[in-house]
Amino acid sequence: MWDIPTTEVNGNVGRIRPPDLQLGQCSSMETSQTLSGRIRTLREQRGLTQAAAAVEIGISRAHLTKIETGRDAPGRATLMAIAAYFGVTLDWLTEGVGEKLPAKALNTNEAALLAAFRRMPDSEAEAFLRYALIRTDGAKDA
């Protein structure tokens, strides 16, 4: 059948904001925090110690401490590991914007479509998206 690594569709890569910068006004307490605050809150909500969370994420406890206190900025791979472990989107984790939880494909066909779309060159993906939007909007008038 389809070779699909996951049904989650959260592969968005957001811009990385240094952890010590405050975000703009947001509607909830979680999203108004810094990157370091959001990471600490996620860990605490799971009832994890820094040592336990660091093992799961694949970094040292000392590095996680520095990230949570804003003394160190996580690299791209670490951000991706944190987002994957806690099941949040990179945009929400890094910027505090957008949906916190990733969208999930409803079935294997949707997951396969997304996986194929992500492997397309940007120019082809853009053309494919335009085609799909035209086809679905045009279907209402048919």
Short mmCIF file of all heavy atoms in Angstrom, two decimals, residues 53-99:
data_model
loop_
_atom_site.label_atom_id
_atom_site.label_comp_id
_atom_site.label_asym_id
_atom_site.label_seq_id
_atom_site.Cartn_x
_atom_site.Cartn_y
_atom_site.Cartn_z
N ALA A 53 12.35 14.93 30.53
CA ALA A 53 12.02 15.53 29.24
C ALA A 53 13.24 15.57 28.33
O ALA A 53 13.13 15.29 27.13
CB ALA A 53 11.47 16.94 29.44
N ALA A 54 14.39 15.89 28.89
CA ALA A 54 15.62 15.97 28.09
C ALA A 54 15.94 14.62 27.46
O ALA A 54 16.32 14.55 26.29
CB ALA A 54 16.78 16.45 28.95
N VAL A 55 15.76 13.54 28.22
CA VAL A 55 16.02 12.19 27.68
C VAL A 55 15.08 11.92 26.51
O VAL A 55 15.50 11.43 25.46
CB VAL A 55 15.84 11.12 28.78
CG1 VAL A 55 15.78 9.73 28.18
CG2 VAL A 55 16.97 11.21 29.80
N GLU A 56 13.80 12.25 26.67
CA GLU A 56 12.82 12.00 25.61
C GLU A 56 13.10 12.84 24.37
O GLU A 56 12.90 12.39 23.24
CB GLU A 56 11.40 12.28 26.12
CG GLU A 56 10.94 11.34 27.20
CD GLU A 56 10.87 9.90 26.73
OE1 GLU A 56 10.48 9.65 25.57
OE2 GLU A 56 11.20 9.01 27.54
N ILE A 57 13.55 14.06 24.57
CA ILE A 57 13.82 14.96 23.44
C ILE A 57 15.15 14.62 22.78
O ILE A 57 15.34 14.82 21.59
CB ILE A 57 13.81 16.44 23.92
CG1 ILE A 57 12.40 16.81 24.40
CG2 ILE A 57 14.28 17.37 22.82
CD1 ILE A 57 12.35 18.10 25.20
N GLY A 58 16.08 14.08 23.57
CA GLY A 58 17.39 13.70 23.02
C GLY A 58 18.46 14.76 23.23
O GLY A 58 19.38 14.88 22.43
N ILE A 59 18.32 15.54 24.30
CA ILE A 59 19.32 16.55 24.63
C ILE A 59 19.71 16.38 26.10
O ILE A 59 19.07 15.61 26.83
CB ILE A 59 18.80 17.99 24.39
CG1 ILE A 59 17.54 18.28 25.22
CG2 ILE A 59 18.52 18.21 22.90
CD1 ILE A 59 17.04 19.71 25.12
N SER A 60 20.72 17.10 26.54
CA SER A 60 21.12 17.01 27.94
C SER A 60 20.19 17.83 28.81
O SER A 60 19.57 18.79 28.35
CB SER A 60 22.56 17.50 28.12
OG SER A 60 22.63 18.90 27.94
N ARG A 61 20.12 17.47 30.10
CA ARG A 61 19.30 18.23 31.04
C ARG A 61 19.83 19.66 31.15
O ARG A 61 19.07 20.62 31.21
CB ARG A 61 19.28 17.57 32.42
CG ARG A 61 18.31 18.28 33.36
CD ARG A 61 18.68 18.18 34.83
NE ARG A 61 20.06 18.47 35.13
CZ ARG A 61 20.57 19.70 35.28
NH1 ARG A 61 19.82 20.76 35.10
NH2 ARG A 61 21.84 19.86 35.57
N ALA A 62 21.15 19.81 31.13
CA ALA A 62 21.74 21.15 31.23
C ALA A 62 21.33 22.02 30.05
O ALA A 62 21.03 23.21 30.22
CB ALA A 62 23.26 21.04 31.31
N HIS A 63 21.30 21.43 28.85
CA HIS A 63 20.88 22.20 27.68
C HIS A 63 19.41 22.59 27.79
O HIS A 63 19.04 23.74 27.48
CB HIS A 63 21.14 21.40 26.40
CG HIS A 63 20.88 22.14 25.13
ND1 HIS A 63 21.34 23.41 24.89
CD2 HIS A 63 20.17 21.80 24.03
CE1 HIS A 63 20.95 23.82 23.69
NE2 HIS A 63 20.23 22.86 23.16
N LEU A 64 18.56 21.67 28.24
CA LEU A 64 17.15 21.99 28.41
C LEU A 64 16.97 23.09 29.45
O LEU A 64 16.15 24.00 29.27
CB LEU A 64 16.33 20.75 28.80
CG LEU A 64 14.83 20.98 28.96
CD1 LEU A 64 14.20 21.55 27.69
CD2 LEU A 64 14.14 19.69 29.37
N THR A 65 17.74 23.05 30.53
CA THR A 65 17.68 24.10 31.54
C THR A 65 18.01 25.45 30.92
O THR A 65 17.32 26.45 31.16
CB THR A 65 18.64 23.80 32.70
OG1 THR A 65 18.26 22.57 33.31
CG2 THR A 65 18.63 24.92 33.73
N LYS A 66 19.07 25.50 30.13
CA LYS A 66 19.46 26.75 29.48
C LYS A 66 18.39 27.24 28.51
O LYS A 66 18.13 28.44 28.41
CB LYS A 66 20.79 26.59 28.76
CG LYS A 66 21.97 26.47 29.70
CD LYS A 66 23.25 26.27 28.94
CE LYS A 66 24.42 26.08 29.89
NZ LYS A 66 25.67 25.84 29.15
N ILE A 67 17.75 26.31 27.79
CA ILE A 67 16.68 26.68 26.86
C ILE A 67 15.51 27.26 27.64
O ILE A 67 14.96 28.31 27.29
CB ILE A 67 16.24 25.47 26.01
CG1 ILE A 67 17.34 25.07 25.03
CG2 ILE A 67 14.93 25.78 25.28
CD1 ILE A 67 17.08 23.74 24.32
N GLU A 68 15.10 26.58 28.72
CA GLU A 68 13.94 27.02 29.50
C GLU A 68 14.18 28.34 30.24
O GLU A 68 13.23 29.05 30.53
CB GLU A 68 13.53 25.93 30.50
CG GLU A 68 12.84 24.77 29.85
CD GLU A 68 12.25 23.80 30.86
OE1 GLU A 68 12.31 24.08 32.08
OE2 GLU A 68 11.72 22.76 30.44
N THR A 69 15.41 28.65 30.53
CA THR A 69 15.71 29.91 31.21
C THR A 69 16.05 31.02 30.23
O THR A 69 16.30 32.15 30.63
CB THR A 69 16.88 29.74 32.21
OG1 THR A 69 18.03 29.27 31.52
CG2 THR A 69 16.50 28.80 33.34
N GLY A 70 16.09 30.70 28.94
CA GLY A 70 16.36 31.70 27.92
C GLY A 70 17.83 32.01 27.75
O GLY A 70 18.19 32.96 27.06
N ARG A 71 18.71 31.21 28.35
CA ARG A 71 20.15 31.46 28.22
C ARG A 71 20.74 30.78 26.99
O ARG A 71 21.88 31.03 26.65
CB ARG A 71 20.89 30.97 29.47
CG ARG A 71 20.58 31.84 30.69
CD ARG A 71 21.36 31.38 31.88
NE ARG A 71 20.84 30.07 32.26
CZ ARG A 71 21.51 29.18 32.97
NH1 ARG A 71 22.72 29.42 33.39
NH2 ARG A 71 20.97 28.03 33.28
N ASP A 72 19.97 29.93 26.33
CA ASP A 72 20.45 29.26 25.13
C ASP A 72 19.29 29.09 24.17
O ASP A 72 18.15 28.84 24.59
CB ASP A 72 21.04 27.89 25.49
CG ASP A 72 21.97 27.33 24.43
OD1 ASP A 72 22.18 28.00 23.40
OD2 ASP A 72 22.50 26.23 24.62
N ALA A 73 19.55 29.24 22.88
CA ALA A 73 18.52 29.06 21.86
C ALA A 73 18.64 27.66 21.28
O ALA A 73 19.74 27.25 20.90
CB ALA A 73 18.67 30.10 20.76
N PRO A 74 17.55 26.92 21.19
CA PRO A 74 17.63 25.59 20.60
C PRO A 74 17.85 25.69 19.09
O PRO A 74 17.35 26.60 18.44
CB PRO A 74 16.27 24.98 20.91
CG PRO A 74 15.36 26.14 21.10
CD PRO A 74 16.21 27.26 21.63
N GLY A 75 18.60 24.74 18.56
CA GLY A 75 18.79 24.67 17.12
C GLY A 75 17.56 24.10 16.44
O GLY A 75 16.60 23.66 17.10
N ARG A 76 17.58 24.08 15.13
CA ARG A 76 16.44 23.59 14.34
C ARG A 76 16.08 22.15 14.70
O ARG A 76 14.92 21.82 14.92
CB ARG A 76 16.75 23.71 12.86
CG ARG A 76 15.59 23.30 11.96
CD ARG A 76 15.95 23.56 10.49
NE ARG A 76 14.85 23.28 9.63
CZ ARG A 76 14.61 22.07 9.11
NH1 ARG A 76 15.41 21.06 9.36
NH2 ARG A 76 13.56 21.89 8.32
N ALA A 77 17.09 21.27 14.78
CA ALA A 77 16.82 19.86 15.09
C ALA A 77 16.20 19.71 16.47
O ALA A 77 15.27 18.91 16.67
CB ALA A 77 18.10 19.04 14.97
N THR A 78 16.68 20.49 17.42
CA THR A 78 16.13 20.42 18.78
C THR A 78 14.70 20.94 18.80
O THR A 78 13.82 20.34 19.44
CB THR A 78 17.00 21.22 19.76
OG1 THR A 78 18.32 20.66 19.76
CG2 THR A 78 16.44 21.17 21.17
N LEU A 79 14.44 22.04 18.09
CA LEU A 79 13.06 22.55 18.00
C LEU A 79 12.12 21.52 17.41
O LEU A 79 11.00 21.32 17.89
CB LEU A 79 13.02 23.83 17.17
CG LEU A 79 13.50 25.10 17.84
CD1 LEU A 79 13.61 26.23 16.83
CD2 LEU A 79 12.59 25.48 19.00
N MET A 80 12.57 20.86 16.36
CA MET A 80 11.73 19.83 15.72
C MET A 80 11.48 18.67 16.68
O MET A 80 10.37 18.14 16.75
CB MET A 80 12.37 19.37 14.42
CG MET A 80 12.36 20.44 13.35
SD MET A 80 13.24 20.00 11.85
CE MET A 80 12.23 18.67 11.25
N ALA A 81 12.51 18.28 17.44
CA ALA A 81 12.36 17.19 18.40
C ALA A 81 11.39 17.57 19.52
O ALA A 81 10.55 16.76 19.93
CB ALA A 81 13.71 16.80 18.98
N ILE A 82 11.49 18.79 19.99
CA ILE A 82 10.58 19.28 21.05
C ILE A 82 9.14 19.31 20.54
O ILE A 82 8.22 18.82 21.20
CB ILE A 82 11.03 20.66 21.56
CG1 ILE A 82 12.36 20.54 22.31
CG2 ILE A 82 9.94 21.29 22.45
CD1 ILE A 82 13.01 21.89 22.62
N ALA A 83 8.95 19.88 19.36
CA ALA A 83 7.60 19.96 18.78
C ALA A 83 7.02 18.57 18.57
O ALA A 83 5.85 18.34 18.88
CB ALA A 83 7.63 20.74 17.47
N ALA A 84 7.82 17.65 18.05
CA ALA A 84 7.34 16.29 17.81
C ALA A 84 7.00 15.60 19.12
O ALA A 84 5.96 14.94 19.25
CB ALA A 84 8.38 15.49 17.04
N TYR A 85 7.85 15.72 20.11
CA TYR A 85 7.62 15.04 21.39
C TYR A 85 6.34 15.55 22.06
O TYR A 85 5.55 14.76 22.57
CB TYR A 85 8.81 15.21 22.33
CG TYR A 85 8.56 14.57 23.66
CD1 TYR A 85 8.50 13.18 23.78
CD2 TYR A 85 8.30 15.33 24.78
CE1 TYR A 85 8.22 12.58 24.99
CE2 TYR A 85 8.02 14.74 26.00
CZ TYR A 85 7.98 13.36 26.11
OH TYR A 85 7.69 12.77 27.30
N PHE A 86 6.14 16.86 22.08
CA PHE A 86 4.97 17.40 22.75
C PHE A 86 3.74 17.49 21.83
O PHE A 86 2.67 17.87 22.27
CB PHE A 86 5.29 18.78 23.34
CG PHE A 86 6.21 18.70 24.53
CD1 PHE A 86 7.51 19.16 24.44
CD2 PHE A 86 5.77 18.16 25.73
CE1 PHE A 86 8.36 19.08 25.53
CE2 PHE A 86 6.62 18.08 26.83
CZ PHE A 86 7.92 18.53 26.73
N GLY A 87 3.91 17.18 20.56
CA GLY A 87 2.78 17.15 19.63
C GLY A 87 2.21 18.52 19.33
O GLY A 87 1.00 18.70 19.26
N VAL A 88 3.10 19.51 19.17
CA VAL A 88 2.66 20.87 18.84
C VAL A 88 3.30 21.29 17.52
O VAL A 88 4.27 20.69 17.07
CB VAL A 88 3.04 21.88 19.95
CG1 VAL A 88 2.31 21.54 21.25
CG2 VAL A 88 4.53 21.94 20.17
N THR A 89 2.77 22.32 16.91
CA THR A 89 3.32 22.81 15.66
C THR A 89 4.55 23.67 15.92
O THR A 89 4.68 24.30 16.98
CB THR A 89 2.29 23.65 14.87
OG1 THR A 89 1.97 24.81 15.64
CG2 THR A 89 1.03 22.84 14.56
N LEU A 90 5.44 23.72 14.95
CA LEU A 90 6.63 24.56 15.08
C LEU A 90 6.27 26.04 15.12
O LEU A 90 6.89 26.82 15.84
CB LEU A 90 7.60 24.30 13.93
CG LEU A 90 8.48 23.06 14.09
CD1 LEU A 90 9.26 22.80 12.81
CD2 LEU A 90 9.43 23.21 15.26
N ASP A 91 5.27 26.45 14.36
CA ASP A 91 4.85 27.85 14.37
C ASP A 91 4.40 28.26 15.77
O ASP A 91 4.76 29.31 16.27
CB ASP A 91 3.72 28.11 13.38
CG ASP A 91 4.20 28.19 11.96
OD1 ASP A 91 5.40 28.41 11.74
OD2 ASP A 91 3.37 28.02 11.05
N TRP A 92 3.61 27.42 16.41
CA TRP A 92 3.14 27.75 17.75
C TRP A 92 4.31 27.73 18.74
O TRP A 92 4.45 28.63 19.56
CB TRP A 92 2.05 26.78 18.22
CG TRP A 92 1.58 27.14 19.59
CD1 TRP A 92 0.63 28.07 19.91
CD2 TRP A 92 2.07 26.65 20.82
NE1 TRP A 92 0.52 28.18 21.28
CE2 TRP A 92 1.39 27.30 21.86
CE3 TRP A 92 3.04 25.70 21.16
CZ2 TRP A 92 1.64 27.04 23.21
CZ3 TRP A 92 3.29 25.44 22.50
CH2 TRP A 92 2.58 26.11 23.51
N LEU A 93 5.15 26.72 18.64
CA LEU A 93 6.26 26.60 19.57
C LEU A 93 7.22 27.77 19.45
O LEU A 93 7.60 28.38 20.45
CB LEU A 93 7.01 25.28 19.34
CG LEU A 93 8.17 25.00 20.31
CD1 LEU A 93 7.67 24.84 21.73
CD2 LEU A 93 8.92 23.75 19.85
N THR A 94 7.60 28.13 18.24
CA THR A 94 8.62 29.17 18.04
C THR A 94 8.06 30.58 18.11
O THR A 94 8.74 31.48 18.58
CB THR A 94 9.36 28.99 16.71
OG1 THR A 94 8.42 29.05 15.64
CG2 THR A 94 10.12 27.70 16.68
N GLU A 95 6.84 30.78 17.62
CA GLU A 95 6.28 32.13 17.52
C GLU A 95 5.10 32.39 18.45
O GLU A 95 4.73 33.54 18.66
CB GLU A 95 5.81 32.39 16.08
CG GLU A 95 6.90 32.28 15.04
CD GLU A 95 7.84 33.46 15.06
OE1 GLU A 95 7.40 34.58 15.39
OE2 GLU A 95 9.02 33.26 14.77
N GLY A 96 4.46 31.33 18.92
CA GLY A 96 3.26 31.52 19.73
C GLY A 96 2.06 31.89 18.90
O GLY A 96 1.08 32.42 19.41
N VAL A 97 2.11 31.59 17.59
CA VAL A 97 1.01 31.94 16.69
C VAL A 97 0.50 30.69 16.00
O VAL A 97 1.18 29.67 15.95
CB VAL A 97 1.44 32.97 15.62
CG1 VAL A 97 1.85 34.27 16.28
CG2 VAL A 97 2.55 32.44 14.76
N GLY A 98 -0.67 30.79 15.45
CA GLY A 98 -1.24 29.67 14.71
C GLY A 98 -1.83 28.62 15.65
O GLY A 98 -1.98 28.83 16.84
N GLU A 99 -2.13 27.51 15.08
CA GLU A 99 -2.72 26.41 15.83
C GLU A 99 -1.65 25.74 16.68
O GLU A 99 -0.55 25.48 16.21
CB GLU A 99 -3.34 25.39 14.88
CG GLU A 99 -4.50 25.92 14.07
CD GLU A 99 -5.67 26.32 14.95
OE1 GLU A 99 -5.97 25.60 15.94
OE2 GLU A 99 -6.29 27.35 14.66
#
